[in-house]
Amino acid sequence: MSVSLPAPRRGLSETALKGIALALMVLDHIQYFFSFTGAIPLWFSMLGRLSAPLFLFCTVEGFAHTHDRKRYFRRIWMISAAMGLVQFLMMYAKIGVRPDGFFPMNAIFMNFVILIPVWQGIDWLRQRQWGRGLAAVLLPLLWPFLFLLLYAAANATPAAWLLDSILAVLVYTVLPCWSLIVDGGGFYIVIGIALYLLRGRRRWQVAAFVLLTMLFDFVFPLVQLLGTEDFSMSWMFTLAYEWLSVFAVFFMLLYNGQRGRGLKRLFYIFYPAHVYLLYALSWVVLLVTA
Protein backbone atom coordinates (compact mmCIF):
# COMPACT_ATOMS: atom_id res chain seq x y z
CA MET A 1 0.00 0.00 0.00
CA SER A 2 1.55 3.26 -1.08
CA VAL A 3 1.26 6.35 1.06
CA SER A 4 1.12 9.70 -0.66
CA LEU A 5 3.07 12.45 0.99
CA PRO A 6 1.72 15.98 1.10
CA ALA A 7 3.15 18.18 -1.62
CA PRO A 8 5.56 20.83 -0.36
CA ARG A 9 4.08 24.27 -0.13
CA ARG A 10 5.13 26.75 -2.75
CA GLY A 11 7.31 29.64 -1.82
CA LEU A 12 10.45 29.99 0.25
CA SER A 13 11.08 28.24 3.54
CA GLU A 14 12.80 29.90 6.49
CA THR A 15 15.96 28.00 5.52
CA ALA A 16 15.82 29.37 1.98
CA LEU A 17 15.33 32.91 3.29
CA LYS A 18 18.35 32.50 5.56
CA GLY A 19 20.42 31.29 2.62
CA ILE A 20 19.46 34.34 0.58
CA ALA A 21 20.17 36.62 3.53
CA LEU A 22 23.58 35.02 4.05
CA ALA A 23 24.56 35.57 0.42
CA LEU A 24 23.44 39.21 0.51
CA MET A 25 25.23 39.73 3.82
CA VAL A 26 28.52 38.48 2.34
CA LEU A 27 28.20 40.99 -0.53
CA ASP A 28 27.52 43.76 1.96
CA HIS A 29 30.49 42.87 4.13
CA ILE A 30 32.87 42.54 1.20
CA GLN A 31 32.06 46.16 0.40
CA TYR A 32 32.24 47.09 4.09
CA PHE A 33 35.70 45.62 4.71
CA PHE A 34 37.30 46.32 1.33
CA SER A 35 35.79 49.66 0.36
CA PHE A 36 39.18 51.31 1.00
CA THR A 37 40.49 49.62 -2.16
CA GLY A 38 38.01 51.48 -4.38
CA ALA A 39 37.53 48.23 -6.29
CA ILE A 40 34.26 47.05 -4.72
CA PRO A 41 31.12 48.41 -6.42
CA LEU A 42 28.57 50.23 -4.29
CA TRP A 43 25.80 47.90 -5.42
CA PHE A 44 27.34 45.18 -3.22
CA SER A 45 26.32 47.29 -0.23
CA MET A 46 22.97 48.22 -1.79
CA LEU A 47 22.01 44.57 -2.21
CA GLY A 48 23.32 43.92 1.27
CA ARG A 49 20.70 46.27 2.72
CA LEU A 50 18.19 43.43 2.32
CA SER A 51 20.08 41.01 4.58
CA ALA A 52 19.40 42.58 8.00
CA PRO A 53 15.58 42.72 7.64
CA LEU A 54 15.56 39.17 6.27
CA PHE A 55 17.53 37.92 9.27
CA LEU A 56 15.13 39.81 11.51
CA PHE A 57 12.14 38.22 9.80
CA CYS A 58 13.74 34.76 10.07
CA THR A 59 14.53 35.31 13.75
CA VAL A 60 10.90 36.22 14.41
CA GLU A 61 9.86 32.93 12.78
CA GLY A 62 12.66 30.96 14.42
CA PHE A 63 11.73 32.18 17.88
CA ALA A 64 8.06 31.40 17.27
CA HIS A 65 8.84 27.87 16.02
CA THR A 66 11.57 26.77 18.40
CA HIS A 67 10.76 24.14 21.02
CA ASP A 68 13.32 25.50 23.48
CA ARG A 69 13.24 29.27 23.70
CA LYS A 70 15.75 29.40 26.53
CA ARG A 71 18.37 27.53 24.50
CA TYR A 72 17.51 29.59 21.42
CA PHE A 73 18.10 32.79 23.37
CA ARG A 74 21.19 31.47 25.18
CA ARG A 75 22.92 30.59 21.90
CA ILE A 76 22.32 34.06 20.46
CA TRP A 77 23.30 35.75 23.74
CA MET A 78 26.62 33.90 23.95
CA ILE A 79 27.63 34.86 20.41
CA SER A 80 26.50 38.44 20.96
CA ALA A 81 28.49 38.73 24.19
CA ALA A 82 31.63 37.24 22.63
CA MET A 83 31.51 39.53 19.60
CA GLY A 84 30.66 42.47 21.84
CA LEU A 85 33.74 41.81 23.96
CA VAL A 86 35.91 41.82 20.84
CA GLN A 87 34.33 45.10 19.75
CA PHE A 88 34.86 46.60 23.21
CA LEU A 89 38.56 45.66 23.21
CA MET A 90 38.97 47.20 19.77
CA MET A 91 37.14 50.40 20.70
CA TYR A 92 38.64 51.06 24.12
CA ALA A 93 41.92 49.13 24.23
CA LYS A 94 42.72 49.47 20.51
CA ILE A 95 43.51 45.75 20.39
CA GLY A 96 43.37 44.28 16.89
CA VAL A 97 42.54 47.57 15.18
CA ARG A 98 43.57 47.78 11.52
CA PRO A 99 46.51 50.13 10.80
CA ASP A 100 44.17 52.67 9.20
CA GLY A 101 42.06 52.80 12.38
CA PHE A 102 39.19 50.69 11.05
CA PHE A 103 37.61 47.86 13.06
CA PRO A 104 34.35 45.93 12.59
CA MET A 105 31.19 47.20 14.26
CA ASN A 106 29.07 44.18 13.30
CA ALA A 107 26.64 43.54 16.15
CA ILE A 108 23.39 42.23 14.67
CA PHE A 109 23.08 39.65 17.46
CA MET A 110 22.86 42.40 20.08
CA ASN A 111 19.52 43.43 18.59
CA PHE A 112 18.18 39.90 18.93
CA VAL A 113 19.34 39.69 22.56
CA ILE A 114 17.13 42.72 23.21
CA LEU A 115 14.21 41.62 21.05
CA ILE A 116 13.80 38.03 22.21
CA PRO A 117 12.90 38.96 25.83
CA VAL A 118 10.51 41.58 24.46
CA TRP A 119 8.85 39.00 22.19
CA GLN A 120 8.56 36.60 25.11
CA GLY A 121 7.05 39.38 27.18
CA ILE A 122 4.48 40.04 24.46
CA ASP A 123 3.46 36.38 24.61
CA TRP A 124 3.18 36.53 28.40
CA LEU A 125 1.00 39.62 28.14
CA ARG A 126 -1.22 37.80 25.66
CA GLN A 127 -1.53 35.06 28.29
CA ARG A 128 -2.45 37.71 30.90
CA GLN A 129 0.78 37.17 32.83
CA TRP A 130 1.04 40.88 33.45
CA GLY A 131 3.93 41.11 35.88
CA ARG A 132 6.62 39.21 34.07
CA GLY A 133 5.19 40.23 30.72
CA LEU A 134 5.63 43.93 31.45
CA ALA A 135 9.06 43.30 32.98
CA ALA A 136 10.26 41.38 29.91
CA VAL A 137 9.00 44.07 27.53
CA LEU A 138 10.03 47.18 29.43
CA LEU A 139 13.38 46.31 31.00
CA PRO A 140 15.31 45.78 27.72
CA LEU A 141 13.73 48.92 26.24
CA LEU A 142 14.36 51.11 29.29
CA TRP A 143 17.90 49.85 29.94
CA PRO A 144 19.57 52.68 27.89
CA PHE A 145 17.96 55.29 30.14
CA LEU A 146 18.97 53.43 33.29
CA PHE A 147 22.49 53.12 31.87
CA LEU A 148 22.72 56.89 31.45
CA LEU A 149 21.70 57.40 35.09
CA LEU A 150 24.25 54.86 36.28
CA TYR A 151 26.92 56.38 34.06
CA ALA A 152 26.24 59.85 35.45
CA ALA A 153 26.32 58.52 39.01
CA ALA A 154 29.59 56.69 38.33
CA ASN A 155 31.23 59.86 37.00
CA ALA A 156 30.47 61.59 40.28
CA THR A 157 32.59 59.10 42.26
CA PRO A 158 36.37 58.86 42.81
CA ALA A 159 36.30 55.48 41.02
CA ALA A 160 34.77 56.97 37.86
CA TRP A 161 37.25 55.37 35.44
CA LEU A 162 36.75 51.88 36.88
CA LEU A 163 32.97 52.13 37.10
CA ASP A 164 32.68 53.60 33.59
CA SER A 165 34.77 50.74 32.23
CA ILE A 166 32.58 48.15 33.96
CA LEU A 167 29.42 49.74 32.58
CA ALA A 168 30.93 49.91 29.10
CA VAL A 169 31.83 46.22 29.22
CA LEU A 170 28.29 45.37 30.32
CA VAL A 171 26.52 47.24 27.52
CA TYR A 172 28.75 45.72 24.85
CA THR A 173 28.56 42.16 26.17
CA VAL A 174 25.99 40.69 28.58
CA LEU A 175 23.50 43.58 28.69
CA PRO A 176 23.43 45.18 25.23
CA CYS A 177 22.03 48.69 24.99
CA TRP A 178 20.03 49.46 21.85
CA SER A 179 21.02 53.14 21.87
CA LEU A 180 24.69 52.18 21.40
CA ILE A 181 24.26 49.62 18.62
CA VAL A 182 25.50 50.81 15.24
CA ASP A 183 24.51 47.62 13.38
CA GLY A 184 20.77 47.93 13.93
CA GLY A 185 19.71 49.90 16.98
CA GLY A 186 16.50 51.65 17.95
CA PHE A 187 14.71 51.68 14.59
CA TYR A 188 15.59 48.02 14.01
CA ILE A 189 14.17 47.17 17.45
CA VAL A 190 10.89 48.95 16.66
CA ILE A 191 10.55 47.07 13.36
CA GLY A 192 11.31 43.78 15.12
CA ILE A 193 8.55 44.40 17.66
CA ALA A 194 6.09 45.28 14.89
CA LEU A 195 6.92 42.12 12.92
CA TYR A 196 6.30 39.97 15.99
CA LEU A 197 3.08 41.70 17.01
CA LEU A 198 1.68 41.19 13.51
CA ARG A 199 3.04 37.68 12.96
CA GLY A 200 0.40 35.50 11.31
CA ARG A 201 -1.14 38.43 9.47
CA ARG A 202 1.31 38.65 6.60
CA ARG A 203 -0.22 41.60 4.75
CA TRP A 204 -0.33 43.74 7.87
CA GLN A 205 3.14 42.55 8.81
CA VAL A 206 4.78 43.53 5.55
CA ALA A 207 2.77 46.76 5.37
CA ALA A 208 4.13 47.76 8.79
CA PHE A 209 7.64 46.81 7.68
CA VAL A 210 7.41 48.97 4.55
CA LEU A 211 5.88 51.92 6.39
CA LEU A 212 8.41 51.90 9.24
CA THR A 213 11.39 51.29 6.98
CA MET A 214 10.50 54.16 4.67
CA LEU A 215 9.80 56.43 7.64
CA PHE A 216 13.02 55.65 9.50
CA ASP A 217 15.39 55.13 6.57
CA PHE A 218 14.02 57.46 3.90
CA VAL A 219 11.85 60.22 5.34
CA PHE A 220 13.97 60.99 8.42
CA PRO A 221 17.31 61.06 6.53
CA LEU A 222 15.72 63.06 3.71
CA VAL A 223 14.48 65.71 6.14
CA GLN A 224 17.98 65.98 7.62
CA LEU A 225 19.67 66.20 4.23
CA LEU A 226 17.26 68.79 2.82
CA GLY A 227 18.98 71.46 4.86
CA THR A 228 22.38 70.54 3.41
CA GLU A 229 23.93 72.87 0.88
CA ASP A 230 23.86 71.52 -2.70
CA PHE A 231 21.52 68.70 -1.69
CA SER A 232 20.55 66.34 -4.50
CA MET A 233 17.98 63.53 -4.49
CA SER A 234 20.72 61.34 -5.95
CA TRP A 235 22.20 61.27 -2.44
CA MET A 236 19.34 58.98 -1.43
CA PHE A 237 20.84 56.41 -3.81
CA THR A 238 24.52 57.04 -3.19
CA LEU A 239 24.79 58.10 0.46
CA ALA A 240 21.56 57.52 2.39
CA TYR A 241 20.47 54.30 0.69
CA GLU A 242 19.65 52.30 3.84
CA TRP A 243 16.00 52.53 2.75
CA LEU A 244 16.70 50.00 -0.01
CA SER A 245 16.17 47.39 2.69
CA VAL A 246 12.47 47.87 1.99
CA PHE A 247 12.81 45.53 -1.00
CA ALA A 248 13.27 42.63 1.41
CA VAL A 249 9.48 42.69 1.53
CA PHE A 250 9.31 40.67 -1.70
CA PHE A 251 11.16 37.78 -0.08
CA MET A 252 9.00 38.04 3.03
CA LEU A 253 5.90 37.70 0.88
CA LEU A 254 7.33 34.52 -0.65
CA TYR A 255 7.76 32.87 2.75
CA ASN A 256 5.68 29.69 2.90
CA GLY A 257 5.53 29.32 6.67
CA GLN A 258 7.81 26.27 6.79
CA ARG A 259 11.15 25.99 8.54
CA GLY A 260 12.84 23.90 5.86
CA ARG A 261 15.87 21.71 6.40
CA GLY A 262 19.51 22.43 6.97
CA LEU A 263 21.29 25.65 7.93
CA LYS A 264 19.90 25.26 11.45
CA ARG A 265 23.13 26.38 13.09
CA LEU A 266 24.99 27.69 10.06
CA PHE A 267 24.10 31.33 10.71
CA TYR A 268 25.41 31.17 14.28
CA ILE A 269 28.76 29.83 13.07
CA PHE A 270 29.00 31.63 9.75
CA TYR A 271 28.23 35.13 10.99
CA PRO A 272 31.15 35.66 13.39
CA ALA A 273 33.50 33.44 11.34
CA HIS A 274 33.08 35.36 8.09
CA VAL A 275 33.24 38.76 9.83
CA TYR A 276 36.63 38.09 11.35
CA LEU A 277 37.93 36.24 8.30
CA LEU A 278 37.05 39.15 5.99
CA TYR A 279 38.51 41.57 8.53
CA ALA A 280 41.79 39.63 8.60
CA LEU A 281 41.90 39.47 4.81
CA SER A 282 41.23 43.20 4.56
CA TRP A 283 44.16 43.81 6.90
CA VAL A 284 46.44 41.76 4.62
CA VAL A 285 45.21 43.62 1.54
CA LEU A 286 45.76 46.96 3.26
CA LEU A 287 49.34 46.07 4.11
CA VAL A 288 50.06 44.75 0.62
CA THR A 289 48.60 47.77 -1.18
CA ALA A 290 49.94 50.42 1.20
Side-chain angles (χ1 to χ4, degrees):
M1 178 179 177
S2 62
V3 179
S4 59
L5 297 176
R9 294 172 63 180
R10 293 182 178 179
L12 298 173
S13 67
E14 182 186 333
T15 297
L17 286 179
K18 283 182 178 178
I20 293 169
L22 282 173
L24 293 170
M25 178 180 66
V26 170
L27 288 178
D28 182 36
H29 288 166
I30 289 174
Q31 207 281 333
Y32 177 62
F33 287 109
F34 296 93
S35 60
F36 69 90
T37 66
I40 310 300
L42 190 61
W43 62 263
F44 272 45
S45 180
M46 290 178 172
L47 287 175
R49 298 306 90 202
L50 279 64
S51 62
L54 285 178
F55 280 129
L56 179 57
F57 182 82
C58 289
T59 305
V60 167
E61 293 300 313
F63 176 73
H65 287 147
T66 186
H67 299 296
D68 190 340
R69 290 186 170 184
K70 289 182 179 179
R71 185 173 64 178
Y72 186 86
F73 172 75
R74 186 166 56 247
R75 184 187 299 126
I76 290 176
W77 177 82
M78 289 175 64
I79 298 172
S80 172
M83 295 188 71
L85 179 60
V86 172
Q87 182 177 329
F88 171 81
L89 292 174
M90 289 180 174
M91 289 180 66
Y92 291 94
K94 306 303 178 183
I95 297 174
V97 176
R98 214 167 62 184
D100 61 350
F102 174 88
F103 59 90
M105 300 286 284
N106 307 86
I108 197 72
F109 275 85
M110 287 187 184
N111 299 278
F112 302 147
V113 169
I114 295 166
L115 280 168
I116 289 175
V118 174
W119 294 338
Q120 181 61 63
I122 290 171
D123 284 347
W124 280 334
L125 290 174
R126 287 169 172 166
Q127 298 164 11
R128 299 179 183 275
Q129 299 181 45
W130 307 114
R132 61 177 183 171
L134 286 172
V137 170
L138 294 178
L139 287 178
L141 301 180
L142 295 178
W143 167 231
F145 305 101
L146 176 59
F147 167 75
L148 289 177
L149 293 176
L150 292 174
Y151 192 80
N155 281 332
T157 68
W161 180 86
L162 177 61
L163 294 176
D164 287 350
S165 299
I166 292 173
L167 285 171
V169 171
L170 284 176
V171 296
Y172 281 104
T173 56
V174 297
L175 292 174
C177 185
W178 55 261
S179 61
L180 299 178
I181 301 174
V182 175
D183 191 11
F187 293 161
Y188 196 70
I189 298 297
V190 171
I191 293 173
I193 294 172
L195 289 178
Y196 194 76
L197 284 171
L198 296 170
R199 184 180 174 273
R201 290 174 284 179
R202 186 70 54 77
R203 292 182 179 180
W204 284 102
Q205 192 181 38
V206 297
F209 167 73
V210 171
L211 178 63
L212 291 173
T213 298
M214 293 304 292
L215 177 64
F216 295 149
D217 294 331
F218 188 89
V219 175
F220 286 177
L222 178 61
V223 170
Q224 291 179 324
L225 290 172
L226 283 174
T228 305
E229 187 177 356
D230 299 326
F231 169 75
S232 170
M233 278 301 294
S234 64
W235 291 6
M236 301 305 295
F237 295 89
T238 57
L239 295 175
Y241 55 83
E242 190 71 28
W243 66 272
L244 293 176
S245 62
V246 74
F247 290 105
V249 70
F250 295 112
F251 292 108
M252 295 178 186
L253 288 170
L254 290 173
Y255 175 56
N256 61 14
Q258 297 180 337
R259 297 196 68 175
R261 295 183 180 181
L263 297 179
K264 185 176 181 180
R265 293 186 176 88
L266 177 61
F267 177 53
Y268 305 113
I269 300 171
F270 185 85
Y271 182 78
H274 96 283
V275 164
Y276 297 124
L277 176 60
L278 288 175
Y279 181 54
L281 289 174
S282 74
W283 196 322
V284 173
V285 172
L286 179 66
L287 293 177
V288 171
T289 58

